[in-house]
């Protein structure tokens, strides 16, 4: 039990500073650019809601602190063993927040309707699926047969459908990505 009388500014969540937040947001935009290079869209087609990208970055940072707080341990000698959230878990959370907050949209309404008609999902779900599949296939634990499966049109279609229509929790997203990539 936490002694509430001993709470200090160091024992509560301290938000990331604006420089770190900007760097993290830029990383998300670079990932988006990688996705767009494989699609029929360009950066000029995309409207970015910076407030929602920032909120996603902050949520991932909060979860990282949460993870460290609840998963770090004390060894038999009384030494604190700090546990950190893996990159796979961070990407899974990014996928979750992109699907939840929908920070990206196609500027032109007709182009957006056409995108949905062709993909049966919106750009946020497609981008999240791209991240999800990319990180699975970049895992050193995935063999060629598994990679072929994850890169298949059927898997992508199914994943986009699930991202568009199913309720997926943060924990489920983390579990799905980490177990698919065979990582902790």
């Amino acid at each position: 039990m936490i002694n509430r009388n001993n709470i200090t500014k160091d024992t509560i969540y301290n938000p990331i500073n604006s420089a770190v937040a900007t760097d993290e947001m830029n990383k998300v935009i670079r990932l988006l650019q990688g996705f767009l290079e494989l699609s029929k869209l360009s950066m000029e087609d995309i409207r970015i809601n910076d407030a929602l990208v920032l909120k996603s970055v902050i949520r991932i940072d909060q979860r990282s602190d949460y993870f460290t707080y609840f998963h770090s341990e004390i060894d038999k000698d009384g030494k604190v063993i700090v546990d950190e959230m893996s990159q796979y878990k961070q990407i899974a959370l990014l996928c979750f927040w992109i699907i939840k907050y929908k920070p990206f949209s196609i500027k032109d309404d007709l182009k957006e309707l056409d995108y949905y008609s062709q993909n049966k999902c919106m750009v946020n779900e497609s981008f999240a699926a791209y991240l999800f599949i990319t990180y699975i296939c970049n895992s050193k634990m995935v063999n060629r047969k598994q990679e072929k499966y994850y890169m298949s049109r059927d898997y992508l279609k199914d994943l986009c459908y699930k991202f568009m229509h199913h309720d997926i929790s943060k924990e489920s997203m983390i579990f799905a990505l980490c177990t698919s990539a065979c990582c902790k």
Side-chain angles (χ1 to χ4, degrees):
M1 187 69 118
I2 295 174
N3 182 343
R4 290 177 174 29
N5 295 327
N6 293 334
I7 301 235
T8 67
K9 66 178 183 162
D10 293 327
T11 57
I12 62 171
Y13 175 72
N14 290 290
I16 54 178
N17 65 46
S18 60
V20 173
T22 300
D23 286 345
E24 293 301 313
M25 289 175 66
N26 287 336
K27 287 178 188 174
V28 173
I29 301 307
R30 283 192 297 278
L31 291 170
L32 177 65
Q33 289 168 331
F35 161 71
L36 292 173
E37 288 173 8
L38 298 175
S39 77
K40 297 176 182 174
L41 299 170
S42 69
M43 281 302 284
E44 291 76 35
D45 294 320
I46 302 297
R47 179 181 301 111
I48 300 171
N49 185 320
D50 289 332
L52 294 176
V53 174
L54 175 60
K55 186 66 176 169
S56 300
V57 164
I58 290 169
R59 291 295 216 159
I60 294 166
D61 185 65
Q62 288 171 331
R63 187 63 175 227
S64 180
D65 277 11
Y66 167 93
F67 187 87
T68 299
Y69 182 83
F70 284 102
H71 293 276
S72 295
E73 298 176 349
I74 299 173
D75 70 9
K76 63 182 179 181
D77 298 323
K79 181 181 173 190
V80 175
I81 301 168
V82 177
D83 200 355
E84 294 184 65
M85 193 167 61
S86 72
Q87 185 178 23
Y88 289 98
K89 290 176 182 169
Q90 290 176 9
I91 289 297
L93 287 171
L94 179 59
C95 291
F96 175 84
W97 291 116
I98 288 169
I99 293 166
K100 181 82 167 173
Y101 289 150
K102 303 187 183 318
F104 309 109
S105 60
I106 299 172
K107 292 176 185 175
D108 181 88
D109 291 341
L110 289 176
K111 205 172 211 178
E112 190 165 56
L113 284 171
D114 185 52
Y115 188 88
Y116 179 79
S117 176
Q118 289 180 24
N119 298 288
K120 305 300 183 241
C121 67
M122 304 305 279
V123 72
N124 291 289
E125 291 79 18
S126 290
F127 178 39
Y130 160 81
L131 291 173
F132 195 90
I133 292 169
T134 297
Y135 276 80
I136 289 173
C137 291
N138 286 340
S139 167
K140 296 193 183 341
M141 304 300 282
V142 174
N143 65 38
R144 294 238 189 262
K145 183 178 178 183
Q146 291 168 317
E147 185 177 336
K148 184 177 178 185
Y149 166 72
Y150 289 121
M151 297 287 285
S152 72
R153 184 76 184 136
D154 286 342
Y155 183 78
L156 177 61
K157 184 178 166 184
D158 191 41
L159 189 61
C160 285
Y161 181 87
K162 285 173 176 38
F163 284 179
M164 181 75 187
H165 299 287
H166 291 192
D167 294 326
I168 302 172
S169 70
K170 293 180 288 297
E171 293 77 12
S172 295
M173 187 71 79
I174 290 168
F175 177 77
L177 180 58
C178 290
T179 56
S180 297
C182 302
C183 295
K184 180 180 173 189

